[in-house]
Amino acid sequence: YHYFNYSTEGRYSLTFNASDGKEPVKREWNLKITKKNRSPKIEHVPIIVNEGENVKLVLPKTDEDGDQILYGYSQPLSRGGEWQTNFNDAGNYHLKINATDGELTTSGVVDINVLDVDRSPTGTSLTEEVIFEGEHWVLPLNFSDPDGDKVVLSVNGLSERMILKNNTLIWNPSYDLIKRKGGVISDILNTLRLEHFFLTEKTYPLVVNACGKKECLSQDLLLHLRHVNRAPVFDLINKTSVMETEKVS
C-alpha cells in the first residue's frame, strides 16, 4: 500500500503487473489526489504581564496548508489581538479566539494573567514652611492611593512637641525655642550687639512618609522657625507713700 500525505495533491498512474508463469496480466489506473483542507490550529502559551503593560498576541499568519488565517478576538483584545492593560486589570483572563482560513473555523482560548502592580500614594507636595514662635501651626497632609489602598502616614524627625494627628501636622512652638545659649562666646556677641543675628531662625528637617499596600512616597519638609521679639514686660509696683527727702528704692 502507499500512504498519500497532505503534500501529494496531483494526478498519478498506477500500474499492476501479474503473471502465472505463462501469461502476464497488466492493469493501469489513473489516480487523482485532491487537496483536503485542514482547519487552522490555535496554539498559544499562557501570557503573564504586569498591570500597565501591553499584551500582543503573535499568531501564525498561515495554516499548515499555506492558507491565510483570519482571527477574531473577544474583548478586551482589539481586532489586532492587542490589549493595553491599566492598573485596574489585575486577574486571570480566559479569552476566546476564532481562526478561519475562509472555509473552516477553529475556536480556542488564550490564558492571560495580569499581575497586580502597587503604585505609591500621591498628594500634597511638600517643600518648606515658615512658622513663628507662639503661632498655632497646622498643615493638613492630603494623600491618596491610586489603587484605592489605605494610606498610612508617618513623620520622621518630630521634636519640640510637634504631633501628627488625623493626618495633620500640628505645632505650637513656644517663645523660648530660640534664645541665648549663654557662655563666653554668647556674652561677647551680646556685648557687641551681634548675637541677635544668630537668633533669628532655627530649622527642623522632617521626612513625611505616605505608604500604601507596598509602595511608599517620602518627601522632605523643612520647617523654618522664626524668632518673635516681644516687648519688655514691667512688673507693677505697689503704691508706696514716702516722706519728703526719703529715698525710694
Side-chain angles (χ1 to χ4, degrees):
Y1 67 91
H2 180 76
Y3 175 76
F4 293 92
N5 59 37
Y6 288 96
S7 62
T8 53
E9 177 186 9
R11 294 181 178 274
Y12 298 88
S13 295
L14 177 64
T15 301
F16 175 78
N17 294 296
S19 176
D20 60 359
K22 296 180 180 181
E23 190 72 26
V25 176
K26 181 179 181 181
R27 293 288 185 270
E28 292 185 353
W29 293 271
N30 292 321
L31 301 179
K32 181 181 179 181
I33 308 300
T34 58
K35 177 182 177 182
K36 181 180 180 181
N37 187 30
R38 290 169 288 179
S39 59
K41 294 181 179 179
I42 298 177
E43 298 178 350
H44 203 284
V45 297
I47 297 174
I48 300 177
V49 297
N50 293 316
E51 284 182 323
E53 293 182 341
N54 187 61
V55 175
K56 184 176 182 179
L57 301 185
V58 180
L59 299 170
K61 295 182 179 180
T62 58
D63 63 13
E64 53 192 344
D65 295 321
D67 300 323
Q68 183 179 3
I69 303 176
L70 297 177
Y71 294 97
Y73 308 96
S74 61
Q75 293 184 348
L77 291 169
S78 68
R79 294 179 62 182
E82 294 190 55
W83 174 24
Q84 178 58 57
T85 65
N86 60 43
F87 288 95
N88 296 315
D89 288 331
N92 293 307
Y93 298 82
H94 308 285
L95 304 180
K96 185 177 179 181
I97 304 177
N98 294 321
T100 180
D101 61 2
E103 181 181 345
L104 299 176
T105 299
T106 301
S107 296
V109 172
V110 60
D111 294 324
I112 301 176
N113 183 13
V114 182
L115 302 178
D116 178 61
V117 174
D118 186 50
R119 293 173 289 174
S120 60
T122 60
T124 306
S125 180
L126 304 174
T127 53
E128 299 179 292
E129 292 283 327
V130 176
I131 309 160
F132 294 89
E133 288 180 322
E135 176 185 353
H136 175 66
W137 176 75
V138 174
L139 178 64
L141 301 176
N142 299 313
F143 291 90
S144 61
D145 189 277
D147 299 313
D149 300 323
K150 180 181 178 180
V151 177
V152 178
L153 295 181
S154 63
V155 180
N156 301 335
L158 290 177
S159 61
E160 307 295 354
R161 297 183 180 179
M162 303 175 191
I163 62 172
L164 175 63
K165 183 178 180 180
N166 297 328
N167 296 338
T168 301
L169 270 174
I170 303 173
W171 190 21
N172 296 295
S174 65
Y175 287 99
D176 59 357
L177 290 181
I178 302 177
K179 59 184 179 180
R180 295 187 63 217
K181 296 181 179 179
V184 176
I185 296 178
S186 178
D187 291 339
I188 294 175
L189 291 174
N190 187 51
T191 301
L192 297 175
R193 304 298 184 186
L194 297 175
E195 189 175 31
H196 67 280
F197 291 110
F198 300 91
L199 299 176
T200 58
E201 181 179 288
K202 190 175 181 180
T203 57
Y204 296 85
L206 306 179
V207 179
V208 178
N209 306 297
C211 296
K213 183 168 59 177
K214 296 179 182 177
E215 298 296 323
C216 294
L217 171 67
S218 296
Q219 296 191 55
D220 293 326
L221 174 61
L222 186 61
L223 304 184
H224 297 268
L225 179 63
R226 298 283 173 82
H227 174 64
V228 174
N229 187 30
R230 293 175 292 170
V233 177
F234 293 95
D235 294 330
L236 293 177
I237 302 174
N238 295 329
K239 184 176 182 180
T240 303
S241 298
V242 295
M243 299 295 291
E244 288 181 329
T245 71
E246 285 186 345
K247 182 179 182 181
V248 179
S249 60

